[in-house]
Amino acid sequence: MTAARPHRWAWAEIDVGAIAHNVDVLRHTVAPASVWAVVKANGYGHGAVRAGRAALDAGADGLCVALVDEGVALRTAGIDAPILVLSEQPIDQLGDLLAYRLTPTAYTERYTRALADAALARDLVDVDVHLKVDTGMQRVGVTPDGVATLVAALDGLAPTLRLGAVFTHLAVADEPDHPATPEQLAVFDRVLDEMVALGAEPPLVHAANSAAALAFPAARRSFVRAGIAVYGISPGHGVDELAAELHPAMSLRARVALVKPVAAGSHVSYGWRHRFEHDTTVATVPIGYADGVPRRLGTLPDRPGADVLIHGRRCPIVGVVTMDQFVVDVGQLDGAPVEVGDEVVLIGSQDGEQILATEWADRLGTIGYEIVCGISERVERVVVGVGAGDAAR
Ligand SMILES: *Cc1c(COP(=O)(O)O)cnc(C)c1O
């Protein structure tokens, strides 16, 4: 870390060893199914290329992205593994999709024909298409009663296109007792039976996100599409116990930029939303909402601000988080005075104490995904952990 010192007193550490560990845990959990790591949205904020490499090195068989450009970036970085684009894309992206050997998802005839046209224009044959069936998410996918028509259309576009896989996406897998998942899987199985009857048995079948991979053995199929679990974050409290072996890969850290005493009766930050009841000491931390630390983290109604760790102890954020900075009450650390330059842990561990991204999420009424995806580009990522040398390439 001495070589790659961040240029400011705030940074995110990405533990590529944790990503490798998590892929290993998932592989053992879902075997004989394999693992494709989902690295959309810059690897959920962890860095798509480094997360993708770490996952593949740890035995993942493929990667998934949301956008063509995300797949292009992985190929440009030299990643040769299969890369699935999870939904249909603008037609003008299909040239790149094919040129970079990304695997398309399709669920409409219009898109499938456009794909065939683009492939034909490049003299490509046997382009694998993953057909997506909507079994209840109501987001994207062909409805079960539209599958036969789409399969026939795809068949008519051979040998340019061919059926590479059929998949679906589960809406409530993070609540293992909810009836939706078995219902969705039953619909999916009826579709698969129908395809077999049509003579269109798919070579690969996939259905599980992280939560389903952990909680629903029946959803694992050929491979699981694991995102959040790869990054060591539980998909939801319903599966926390099943996610207990995972290690968080991102920690968010800063250094104290200023320390000063404040008097009882004074206020802090925009709007003067926090009043100090006693004389105390505050520390200013140079990271804010432009970096992805939500403005309201320090001022949710009826409770003290979220904590950060300093000297291994929890200290509350006071007042609203501003664009570039926030203030912490460090009065309880007066026995071991805080100094400028001391490390502040926003998310992560320090001296045996830990703050998880899901702790922020719980306070804010969201999920861990949104927290890590929200850490902005302004925050430099510092790669740590076993394999860091490789991943930093
Ligand atoms: C994002 C996404 C995933 C990964 O979900 P996690 O809950 O992060 O594991 C899987 N499949 C599809 C279609 C997705 O969009």
Side-chain angles (χ1 to χ4, degrees):
M1 242 182 62
T2 42
R5 188 163 261 140
H7 293 174
R8 56 179 288 208
W9 268 356
W11 68 99
E13 286 179 6
I14 308 301
D15 183 346
V16 289
I19 292 174
H21 165 85
N22 297 333
V23 169
D24 202 51
V25 167
L26 286 165
R27 283 179 63 214
H28 284 97
T29 302
V30 305
S34 57
V35 173
W36 285 35
V38 181
V39 297
K40 61 193 178 187
N42 196 28
Y44 293 38
H46 295 66
V49 171
R50 74 173 65 93
R53 269 202 196 114
L56 292 167
D57 287 351
D61 279 357
L63 302 176
C64 303
V65 295
L67 308 176
V68 172
D69 283 352
E70 293 175 340
V72 170
L74 296 169
R75 282 280 181 261
T76 305
I79 290 177
D80 206 43
I83 299 173
L84 174 64
V85 181
L86 289 164
S87 56
E88 294 187 350
Q89 299 299 307
I91 303 297
D92 63 14
Q93 296 283 292
L94 294 182
D96 276 349
L97 185 150
L98 294 168
Y100 288 88
R101 293 177 293 114
L102 310 180
T103 302
T105 288
Y107 34 83
T108 65
E109 239 184 281
R110 177 183 155 274
Y111 186 78
T112 307
R113 292 190 188 287
L115 201 53
D117 289 345
L120 210 54
R122 296 176 171 270
D123 290 328
L124 298 174
V125 290
D126 292 341
V127 173
D128 278 324
V129 176
H130 287 213
L131 197 152
K132 179 160 192 198
V133 185
D134 187 346
T135 56
M137 178 80 176
Q138 308 294 1
R139 187 173 63 176
V140 296
V142 59
T143 55
D145 59 9
V147 169
T149 311
L150 190 57
V151 165
L154 190 60
D155 199 43
L157 296 167
T160 309
L161 304 185
R162 68 179 181 194
L163 180 65
V166 173
F167 74 106
T168 193
H169 191 49
L170 300 167
V172 200
D174 59 322
E175 297 176 39
D177 296 332
H178 198 289
T181 302
E183 281 171 24
Q184 283 196 262
L185 290 173
V187 172
F188 191 47
D189 281 331
R190 280 202 294 279
V191 167
L192 293 169
D193 287 346
E194 187 192 349
M195 291 185 68
V196 171
L198 292 168
E201 185 171 354
L204 295 172
V205 173
H206 49 106
N209 57 5
S210 294
L214 295 169
F216 289 91
R220 290 170 189 157
R221 310 296 163 112
S222 312
F223 63 83
V224 302
R225 306 181 305 269
I228 199 73
V230 165
Y231 306 104
I233 296 171
S234 172
H237 290 311
V239 295
D240 277 350
E241 266 176 49
L242 297 172
E245 271 184 75
L246 305 174
H247 296 166
M250 181 192 290
S251 71
L252 185 61
R253 293 166 192 269
R255 294 195 184 280
V256 170
L258 188 71
V259 181
K260 65 174 181 185
V262 293
S266 56
H267 297 80
V268 60
S269 193
Y270 291 122
W272 273 14
R273 299 268 295 277
H274 178 87
R275 180 180 186 273
F276 295 100
E277 299 301 327
H278 309 282
D279 291 354
T280 187
T281 306
V282 295
T284 303
V285 183
I287 179 169
Y289 64 73
D291 301 298
V293 182
R295 181 172 183 270
R296 64 194 186 286
L297 201 56
T299 54
L300 285 164
D302 306 325
R303 41 180 166 172
D307 294 328
V308 299
L309 304 177
I310 302 177
H311 299 179
R313 302 260 304 274
R314 285 175 172 265
C315 304
I317 298 174
V318 285
V320 296
V321 172
T322 72
M323 189 181 293
D324 318 297
Q325 312 179 72
F326 63 81
V327 177
V328 180
D329 188 334
V330 295
Q332 74 272 40
L333 301 186
D334 277 350
V338 173
E339 290 176 20
V340 168
D342 285 355
E343 187 185 64
V344 182
V345 174
L346 290 88
I347 294 171
S349 314
Q350 192 185 53
D351 300 343
E353 186 66 58
Q354 189 180 37
I355 294 175
L356 297 173
T358 46
E359 179 178 327
W360 284 24
D362 290 344
R363 299 183 70 89
L364 297 162
T366 182
I367 50 178
Y369 300 66
E370 191 177 2
I371 303 301
V372 287
C373 287
I375 303 306
S376 75
E377 269 185 42
R378 197 170 76 164
V379 179
E380 194 176 324
R381 270 61 170 177
V382 178
V383 180
V384 301
V386 178
D390 291 340
R393 285 192 305 242

